Amino acid sequence: MSIVVSREQAKAERRRALLAAAAQLFAERGFERVSLDDLGAAVGVSGPAVYRHFAGKQAVLAALLVDASAGLLDGARAVLADHDTNANGAMRADGDARADAASSIPDARQALRALVAFHVAFAVENPDVIRVQSADLESLADADRRTVRGLQRQYVELWVDVLESLHSGEQRSLLRTRAHAAFGLMNSTPHSARGAARDTRAVLATMAEAALSPEAS
């Protein structure tokens, strides 16, 4: 392994450590009450050393929330690709139209189940990020806040496209309401018992699937 590669890996690992520390500290104290010195101390470096990775505390918050939103969007796209269905479930990934629209429903159910499992896993593993998103989104610079919200809108639309296959004839605006309500349920992990992650996942997944299924209409 070259020295250059080793240094790049070390830099990437330090960045990840700083973001993990930021998530915990921002969640516990609030963005405004955490200093760069606090962040540096949490990973064993000086406050000024943080500038090697981020332009400032605002940039740390932006990276934390943009990375989380981009990760959710990319992950959801991968989930749908793995289930051989495009967003609305009406056509297979190879482009061949389905003979019967009803035949897309089993695929849509599987895609929904996989999306729920994916989101629940994120929520259970990242409760601090969820708390920061809820409390400190407005602390972002305008451009970063627009980026986060744009990524989140795209993420929601992927869910709505799948739900549209399951809830025939329902307006997309109402399907968005369903999706947002389910996110609220799944994102309740900051209030869940941290010591029972497996049980928490099972409960949240079951409740979210039940809330989003056509039978709940």
Side-chain angles (χ1 to χ4, degrees):
M1 181 180 295
S2 72
I3 294 176
V4 173
V5 172
S6 180
R7 286 176 177 171
E8 288 300 315
Q9 288 181 340
K11 184 177 181 180
E13 289 172 2
R14 180 57 55 80
R15 182 182 186 277
R16 285 193 291 270
L18 282 166
L19 289 176
Q24 182 177 355
L25 291 173
F26 292 164
E28 291 175 350
R29 306 181 193 174
F31 173 74
E32 296 295 340
R33 295 184 177 86
V34 177
S35 68
L36 285 181
D37 285 338
D38 294 330
L39 289 176
V43 298
V45 301
S46 66
V50 177
Y51 285 107
R52 298 174 187 170
H53 305 274
F54 301 100
K57 194 172 71 165
Q58 275 274 351
V60 176
L61 180 63
L64 182 66
L65 296 184
V66 170
D67 285 2
S69 295
L72 281 170
L73 179 59
D74 290 344
R77 286 171 171 164
V79 165
L80 294 178
D82 286 345
H83 283 76
D84 195 29
T85 178
N86 72 351
N88 64 17
M91 185 175 291
R92 303 190 69 85
D94 61 11
D96 293 332
R98 297 178 188 270
D100 183 351
S103 68
S104 70
I105 293 179
D107 291 337
R109 286 185 183 277
Q110 292 173 12
L112 178 62
R113 186 172 296 112
L115 283 175
V116 167
F118 165 72
H119 191 104
V120 166
F122 173 87
V124 169
E125 293 164 11
N126 299 277
D128 288 337
V129 174
I130 291 173
R131 289 177 65 186
V132 175
Q133 159 77 27
S134 176
D136 293 311
L137 178 63
E138 296 305 315
S139 295
L140 287 173
D142 290 344
D144 293 325
R145 188 164 57 251
R146 286 194 295 270
T147 296
V148 169
R149 286 177 170 163
L151 291 167
Q152 291 175 343
R153 282 193 294 271
Q154 293 179 68
Y155 181 65
V156 171
E157 291 308 303
L158 292 180
W159 284 72
V160 171
D161 288 338
V162 172
L163 291 174
E164 197 169 34
S165 292
L166 295 172
H167 298 268
S168 178
E170 187 162 330
Q171 296 179 2
R172 288 183 68 86
S173 60
L174 294 179
L175 295 176
R176 289 188 193 96
T177 299
R178 287 180 181 272
H180 281 293
F183 296 156
L185 169 66
M186 293 183 286
N187 289 348
S188 65
T189 52
H191 312 289
S192 303
R194 290 176 180 259
R198 181 178 300 177
D199 293 341
T200 298
R201 290 189 191 211
V203 169
L204 293 178
T206 298
M207 293 180 70
E209 287 179 34
L212 292 169
S213 69
E215 291 78 8
S217 300

